[in-house]
Amino acid sequence: AIDKIQIYKTIPDNKDQPDKDSDYEMNLQLKDNAKKGYFGSVSANGGTDKRYNALGVLNTYTPKIQGSAGFIKNNTNLNINNIETLLKGTTFGGVNANSEFYSDFFKSGITNRTLYGGRFQYDFNERSSNEYNNLLRLDVLQDDAEKTILDSAGTVYLIGDINRESQKKNTSVDRSKLLAISPKYNYQNEKFIISGNINWNNDQSKNESKNSTIDNYENVSTLSRTESIEESKGSDFTSDFSLSNKHNYNLQKQKLFDKLRYRLNYNGNL
């Protein structure tokens, strides 16, 4: 896949950085057939109590375009609710990804979750780095979840020779649907950084609660039940924009403009 390895020695400008040593940079040139491709993974797991977990990810790339699509379906309380965590845990790794990609068995109830979405990224520079980039990214996410909590308790009262029994059962089901669309743009060079981000979320939730109590007292049984349903729908729109300049602390001689620091931020909600 590698066509050529190039190593460059960069000599600093002694007028600005007299104490800095020379740097070495390495450039890996790929063969033409390695600059385009696709890869992915599919996995499925099962366990006791009808627990299951299934996921799949497909990625494609060219010199300027990267695309990813994935899905996950499980009832193991897996802590995934965004595309970033799904891609880090299955494809790109990353910092602090492992702690978010395991089931939380200490969480109350059982959550059945179906999540799918994708990411599209276009590189206007074709070869971006930590110092220079010009990227446009779009994330789309659909997250459907259903959380069920079952509680039951029994109590026996002794009043003389008389027993009084009480049994309580509570069932709570939370259903939620989330559609999230988030475009993001980032540009930076040796002098300044420009970034902009837009988030649009459409959220629907429904809670169904059922409670029942049975009392047995002196051969008399009583039953009481209560049911409630709560629904909510809503959308929110947020945006932010920032413009800032960079500062090279290694420069000993700086012009007046190099000494100025500025940062502009804008945040909006709807």
Side-chain angles (χ1 to χ4, degrees), residues 124-163:
F124 295 93
N125 286 347
E126 190 169 323
R127 288 188 300 176
S128 295
S129 64
N130 292 331
E131 296 295 330
Y132 301 91
N133 63 53
N134 190 3
L135 299 174
L136 177 64
R137 192 179 78 185
L138 174 65
D139 289 350
V140 179
L141 171 72
Q142 178 70 44
D143 184 12
D144 299 337
E146 179 179 297
K147 181 178 181 179
T148 303
I149 299 178
L150 302 176
D151 291 327
S152 61
T155 306
V156 177
Y157 301 93
L158 297 178
I159 306 175
D161 296 332
I162 302 175
N163 293 339

Side-chain angles (χ1 to χ4, degrees), residues 14 45 51 76 109 118 125 132 134 184 213 218-219 240 256 258:
N14 293 329
N45 308 280
R51 298 298 179 96
T76 59
N125 286 347
Y132 301 91
N134 190 3
K184 183 177 183 179
T213 302
E218 292 186 342
N219 298 325
D240 61 82
L256 177 61
D258 295 327

Side-chain angles (χ1 to χ4, degrees), residues 128-268:
S128 295
S129 64
N130 292 331
E131 296 295 330
Y132 301 91
N133 63 53
N134 190 3
L135 299 174
L136 177 64
R137 192 179 78 185
L138 174 65
D139 289 350
V140 179
L141 171 72
Q142 178 70 44
D143 184 12
D144 299 337
E146 179 179 297
K147 181 178 181 179
T148 303
I149 299 178
L150 302 176
D151 291 327
S152 61
T155 306
V156 177
Y157 301 93
L158 297 178
I159 306 175
D161 296 332
I162 302 175
N163 293 339
R164 181 176 180 178
E165 298 180 2
S166 177
Q167 297 180 355
K168 296 182 180 180
K169 293 183 179 180
N170 303 317
T171 303
S172 177
V173 180
D174 292 317
R175 297 182 178 90
S176 63
K177 292 185 177 182
L178 172 65
L179 173 62
I181 301 175
S182 177
K184 183 177 183 179
Y185 176 75
N186 183 269
Y187 173 85
Q188 65 173 317
N189 57 21
E190 70 279 1
K191 293 184 178 181
F192 59 88
I193 302 173
I194 300 175
S195 64
N197 187 37
I198 297 174
N199 294 291
W200 180 78
N201 297 323
N202 184 25
D203 191 9
Q204 303 179 28
S205 63
K206 182 178 181 180
N207 174 267
E208 298 181 10
S209 179
K210 297 180 180 180
N211 303 314
S212 63
T213 302
I214 299 176
D215 279 325
N216 296 316
Y217 181 63
E218 292 186 342
N219 298 325
V220 177
S221 297
T222 59
L223 172 63
S224 61
R225 292 179 178 177
T226 59
E227 297 184 5
S228 64
I229 298 177
E230 297 180 0
E231 296 185 65
S232 64
K233 298 180 180 180
S235 298
D236 63 87
F237 176 87
T238 61
S239 63
D240 61 82
F241 172 83
S242 67
L243 169 64
S244 61
N245 66 334
K246 292 183 177 181
H247 175 50
N248 190 344
Y249 293 94
N250 294 321
L251 294 178
Q252 294 186 354
K253 294 182 180 180
Q254 296 180 344
K255 299 178 181 179
L256 177 61
F257 182 78
D258 295 327
K259 296 180 180 180
L260 296 177
R261 296 291 160 265
Y262 62 85
R263 183 177 180 87
L264 303 175
N265 291 286
Y266 168 78
N267 294 282

